[in-house]
């Protein structure tokens, strides 16, 4: 049977007023008369059945439309009718009802890859685990296209809603094809989506046991280890993968990113240099290593890589933004403004406007900076609160703390009681020596969110640093550490309050751990001070100098050194 039946239905819908007329035809006496008077006219009867299905669908009677098309698909040798039945069933999520139509579509169009993809999806959605596994396994093994088929099978598995059924299908496929790495990998990916980290790791390791050179399996294993909180193991695994497969950029890039996240900047720089030198004409790669260098505050190299990306043909808004951002971090404010002004589209357009506000504030042009933020807020009402926070941060970072407080007070009038605003105001109050306001805002947050680790830490640290209420501060920080045991800032706070309590050995243990996790200037200042007071002055100076090397100017470190006459 040719496709003209479906075409007739579509033609009818294209005619003015036909939907209402068609509905009357189907449900009224004229429709019953036509049906009764064409029993010998098989062609007309088929057209009528198509019209019934189409008009029912138009009226929202999907069960009627589906029943008509499922029946037509069984009766006629037209794959278009089977496809139409499947489309209606997918839309209405009547998966059990369309399994026969999906099978029929594949039978009538055996070379149609879309038909086979949809059949696999329908079988999974209908819970037909055995048949789904058999079909997908067969597809994976189909001749020379077997490897290419993995992408399409992966798309079927990803599209299926019921991941528990997908897991059951994959368990069966793993038994049928234990030597196919893709199946183990797909199992691991699905288990990760279900947050079953043990199963996800087992799937990744099984895939690597079959094919130890498969990049995606390595990346899956590393991601699972990160999700399990095993960052050191994840780093070791990726180092092994890079050593095994030194020419795979994606692995080396992932390794560099892990090293940056762990603040292991020396080794990260080595990996970034290898990537850049290995493919010096790759604009996208140069852009990525430039961003990584910027995240490490390796600003000279960041600028070099980003400009090399530009020369390699990477003219795009995000590249202009990054070059401008690096210039801002280097305190080259006029240069930063020039690049931000070129970001006229893309996801970074709003960010460029915000960074322009930051730069103007640092240049002392407060009125222009405030006008930028007001304009951006007016044009982006949906993120107004976030933009208030950015403006207050820009004022505070540029040393205009009173203006930051003014912005936050205005924001709290618009969003009374918002916890992010209260937290930001508390930090600003500390800079203004308004410890009463700091404590009040943080206690307001904790009254409603007693397990807010950031508020607990901020209150505990401020009490330890600015008052002699050390025992009270210790209680807040201990609670914060219980809630977030791997947060470097909270670990630093614990070291600092223990130092204030005179427990130097315990303080050093916490501060050294915090510094290994995140060697920022404030932790460097704290660790150096405790080392100095504890008699290890040579190492204290080394830590402070490292802090100065990592962060341009590093005012917190410099103030600490000045207090000790260094």
């Amino acid at each position: 049977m040719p496709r003209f039946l479906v075409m007739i239905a579509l033609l009818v819908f294209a005619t003015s007023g036909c939907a209402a007329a068609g509905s009357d035809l189907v449900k009224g006496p004229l429709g019953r008369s036509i049906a009764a008077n064409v029993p010998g006219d098989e062609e007309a009867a088929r057209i009528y059945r198509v019209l019934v299905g189409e008009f029912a669908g138009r009226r929202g009677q999907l069960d009627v439309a589906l029943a008509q098309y499922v029946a037509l698909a069984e009766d006629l040798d037209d794959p278009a009718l089977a496809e139409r039945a499947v489309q209606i069933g997918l839309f209405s999520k009547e998966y059990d009802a369309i399994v026969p139509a999906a099978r029929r579509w594949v039978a009538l169009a055996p070379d149609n890859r879309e038909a086979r993809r949809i059949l696999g999806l329908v079988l999974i959605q209908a819970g037909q685990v055995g048949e789904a596994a058999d079909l997908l396994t067969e597809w994976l093994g189909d001749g020379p296209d077997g490897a290419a088929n993995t992408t399409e099978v992966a798309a079927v598995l990803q599209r299926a809603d019921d991941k528990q059924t997908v897991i059951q299908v994959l368990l069966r496929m793993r038994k049928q094809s234990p030597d196919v790495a893709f199946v183990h990998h797909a199992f691991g990916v699905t288990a990760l989506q279900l947050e079953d980290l043990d199963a996800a790791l087992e799937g990744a390791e099984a895939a690597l046991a079959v094919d130890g050179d498969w990049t995606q399996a390595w990346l899956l294993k590393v991601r699972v280890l990160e999700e399990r909180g095993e960052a050191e193991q994840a780093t070791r695994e990726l180092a092994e993968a890079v050593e095994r497969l030194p020419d795979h950029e994606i692995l080396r890039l992932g390794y560099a990113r892990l090293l940056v996240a762990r603040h292991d900047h020396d080794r990260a720089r080595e990996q970034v240099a290898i990537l850049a030198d290995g493919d010096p004409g790759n604009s996208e790669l140069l852009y990525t290593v430039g961003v990584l260098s910027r995240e490490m505050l390796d600003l000279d190299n960041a600028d070099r890589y980003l400009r090399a990306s530009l020369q390699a043909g990477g003219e795009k808004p995000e590249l202009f933004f990054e070059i401008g951002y690096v210039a801002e971090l280097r305190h080259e404010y006029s240069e930063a403004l020039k690049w931000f002004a070129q970001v006229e589209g893309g996801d970074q357009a709003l960010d460029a406007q915000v960074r322009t506000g930051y730069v103007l504030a640092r240049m002392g042009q407060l009125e222009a900076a405030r006008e930028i933020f007001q304009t951006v807020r007016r044009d982006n009402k949906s993120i107004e609160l976030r933009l208030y926070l950015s403006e207050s941060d820009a004022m505070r970072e540029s040393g205009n703390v009173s203006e930051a407080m003014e912005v936050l007070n205005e924001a709290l009038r618009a969003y009374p009681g918002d916890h992010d605003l209260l937290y930001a105001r508390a930090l600003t109050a500390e800079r203004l020596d308004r410890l009463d306001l700091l404590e009040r805002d943080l206690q307001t947050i904790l009254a409603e969110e007693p397990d807010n680790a950031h508020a607990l830490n901020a209150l505990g640290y401020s009490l330890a640093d600015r008052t002699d209420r050390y025992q009270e501060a210790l209680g807040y920080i201990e609670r914060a550490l219980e809630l977030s045991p791997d947060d470097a800032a909270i670990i630093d706070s614990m070291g600092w309050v223990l130092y204030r309590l005179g427990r130097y050995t315990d303080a050093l243990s916490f501060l050294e751990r915090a510094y290994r996790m995140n060697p920022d200037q404030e932790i460097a200042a704290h660790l150096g001070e405790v080392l100095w007071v504890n008699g290890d002055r040579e190492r204290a100076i080394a830590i402070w100098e490292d802090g100065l090397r990592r962060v341009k100017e590093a005012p917190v470190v410099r103030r600490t050194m000045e207090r000790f006459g260094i």
Side-chain angles (χ1 to χ4, degrees):
M1 181 72 181
R3 291 175 177 260
F4 76 91
L5 290 178
V6 174
M7 294 304 297
I8 287 172
L10 296 176
L11 180 62
V12 170
F13 278 127
T15 305
S16 175
C18 65
S23 298
D24 291 341
L25 174 68
V26 172
K27 300 188 76 71
L30 181 58
R32 291 193 293 273
S33 175
I34 292 174
N37 286 287
V38 292
D41 190 340
E42 185 176 340
E43 198 77 1
R46 289 170 180 169
I47 293 173
Y48 174 73
R49 291 167 66 191
V50 170
L51 291 175
V52 169
E54 289 299 319
F55 286 133
R58 211 17 122 78
R59 290 176 61 88
Q61 297 172 321
L62 296 181
D63 54 339
V64 175
L66 183 59
Q68 287 293 330
Y69 271 106
V70 168
L72 282 164
E74 286 295 317
D75 293 347
L76 305 176
D77 295 332
D78 188 345
L81 294 172
E83 180 181 359
R84 184 67 171 145
V86 170
Q87 289 173 343
I88 295 169
L90 287 173
F91 181 78
S92 59
K93 298 187 178 182
E94 295 289 344
Y95 304 118
D96 291 324
I98 57 171
V99 168
R103 292 191 188 115
R104 181 71 168 156
W105 186 13
V106 171
L108 293 171
D111 296 327
N112 187 322
R113 299 176 74 87
E114 175 67 10
R116 185 149 57 165
R117 277 197 298 270
I118 294 298
L119 174 57
L121 175 63
V122 169
L123 290 170
I124 294 173
Q125 299 288 65
Q128 302 283 341
V129 171
E131 188 177 351
D134 293 344
L135 176 71
L136 297 180
T137 300
E138 178 188 351
W139 199 355
L140 286 174
D142 273 359
D145 292 331
N149 288 342
T150 59
T151 301
E152 298 193 39
V153 171
V156 170
L157 297 171
Q158 183 63 32
R159 187 175 169 187
D161 297 325
D162 187 350
K163 298 305 180 187
Q164 291 291 354
T165 301
V166 172
I167 284 287
Q168 296 305 312
V169 169
L170 285 166
L171 284 170
R172 189 178 180 105
M173 292 176 71
R174 292 179 78 185
K175 290 181 180 178
Q176 294 171 335
S177 304
D179 297 327
V180 178
F182 163 79
V183 178
H184 299 298
H185 178 265
F187 175 83
V189 169
T190 307
L192 181 58
Q193 292 171 337
L194 291 169
E195 300 182 354
D196 186 344
L197 299 183
D198 291 340
L201 183 60
E202 187 273 325
E205 290 177 336
L208 288 170
V210 174
D211 183 357
D213 294 342
W214 193 17
T215 301
Q216 294 302 319
W218 279 108
L219 293 175
L220 174 62
K221 183 176 183 181
V222 168
R223 182 180 171 190
V224 174
L225 289 170
E226 286 186 281
E227 292 284 337
R228 285 160 59 110
E230 300 174 25
E232 290 187 14
Q233 180 64 22
T235 306
R236 285 195 295 270
E237 292 287 344
L238 209 42
E240 178 186 336
V242 167
E243 185 176 355
R244 180 185 180 115
L245 304 165
D247 296 329
H248 286 236
E249 287 181 352
I250 191 170
L251 287 176
R252 192 176 297 278
L253 191 56
Y255 183 41
R257 283 183 171 134
L258 261 184
L259 292 170
V260 171
R262 297 191 62 211
H263 305 281
D264 190 345
H265 292 168
D266 291 336
R267 284 200 293 170
R269 287 189 194 95
E270 292 176 8
Q271 299 306 315
V272 162
I274 293 170
L275 284 163
D277 293 343
D279 198 353
N282 187 328
S283 175
E284 197 63 39
L285 180 62
L286 288 167
Y287 168 77
T288 302
V289 298
V291 172
L292 283 173
S293 297
R294 189 261 297 159
E295 290 175 358
M296 290 187 284
L297 296 178
D298 184 1
L299 301 181
D300 291 341
N301 276 325
D303 185 68
R304 178 164 66 90
Y305 293 135
L306 291 168
R307 290 179 187 270
S309 174
L310 187 65
Q311 291 176 354
E315 292 192 21
K316 53 187 180 180
E318 55 265 39
L319 180 54
F320 297 152
F321 174 80
E322 284 294 338
I323 295 175
Y325 195 13
V326 170
E328 178 191 343
L329 293 172
R330 296 171 82 178
H331 300 176
E332 299 168 357
Y333 297 135
S334 296
E335 181 76 1
L337 291 176
K338 182 186 78 173
W339 286 101
F340 290 148
Q342 296 183 65
V343 184
E344 296 179 349
D347 295 338
Q348 274 73 32
L350 176 61
D351 291 337
Q353 290 178 283
V354 170
R355 295 315 310 177
T356 296
Y358 274 81
V359 170
L360 290 171
R362 289 199 179 95
M363 295 174 75
Q365 299 180 30
L366 293 189
E367 186 176 343
R370 296 290 301 273
E371 186 176 340
I372 286 280
F373 281 109
Q374 288 165 10
T375 299
V376 173
R377 283 204 308 273
R378 186 187 63 234
D379 296 339
N380 297 273
K381 281 293 185 182
S382 63
I383 56 170
E384 182 181 48
L385 192 151
R386 180 162 70 87
L387 292 168
Y388 269 123
L389 289 167
S390 294
E391 183 177 1
S392 69
D393 188 49
M395 295 299 113
R396 188 169 55 248
E397 280 191 12
S398 61
N400 299 290
V401 186
S402 296
E403 285 76 9
M405 180 64 76
E406 180 183 319
V407 171
L408 289 167
N409 287 334
E410 178 186 340
L412 280 163
R413 285 192 291 272
Y415 298 93
D418 180 82
H419 287 187
D420 290 334
L421 292 172
L422 288 171
Y423 185 81
R425 190 168 70 174
L427 298 183
T428 306
E430 190 270 340
R431 295 276 296 274
L432 292 169
D433 292 324
R434 289 287 312 279
L435 296 185
D436 59 326
L437 179 57
L438 175 147
E439 187 167 358
R440 188 171 74 232
D441 282 347
L442 292 176
Q443 291 289 13
T444 298
I445 295 171
L446 291 171
E448 298 178 18
E449 284 186 77
D451 291 339
N452 187 317
H454 294 297
L456 287 164
N457 180 57
L459 181 55
Y461 176 79
S462 297
L463 292 176
D465 192 56
R466 303 293 297 275
T467 77
D468 58 2
R469 295 158 61 186
Y470 303 139
Q471 282 299 143
E472 186 180 350
L474 178 63
Y476 288 122
I477 296 170
E478 284 176 335
R479 178 61 182 143
L481 197 59
E482 287 175 8
L483 294 165
S484 298
D486 298 318
D487 188 311
I490 299 175
I491 295 168
D492 170 64
S493 295
M494 178 60 78
W496 193 240
V497 72
L498 290 172
Y499 165 62
R500 303 287 271 182
L501 285 164
R503 296 165 55 181
Y504 296 162
T505 301
D506 293 336
L508 279 174
S509 175
F510 280 98
L511 290 171
E512 286 173 340
R513 181 184 166 204
Y515 193 69
R516 285 194 301 270
M517 295 172 69
N518 181 14
D520 80 352
Q521 61 160 329
E522 188 160 348
I523 299 176
H526 290 163
L527 177 56
E529 178 167 340
V530 177
L531 286 167
W532 183 278
V533 171
N534 208 36
D536 194 346
R537 298 189 172 186
E538 183 177 341
R539 187 160 171 240
I541 292 173
I543 292 291
W544 286 331
E545 288 179 344
D546 186 51
L548 292 173
R549 180 176 62 85
R550 289 175 183 274
V551 180
K552 189 173 183 178
E553 296 187 0
V556 178
V557 174
R558 288 196 181 280
R559 285 197 297 269
T560 302
M561 294 177 73
E562 288 169 2
R563 281 197 291 111
F564 289 96
I566 306 299

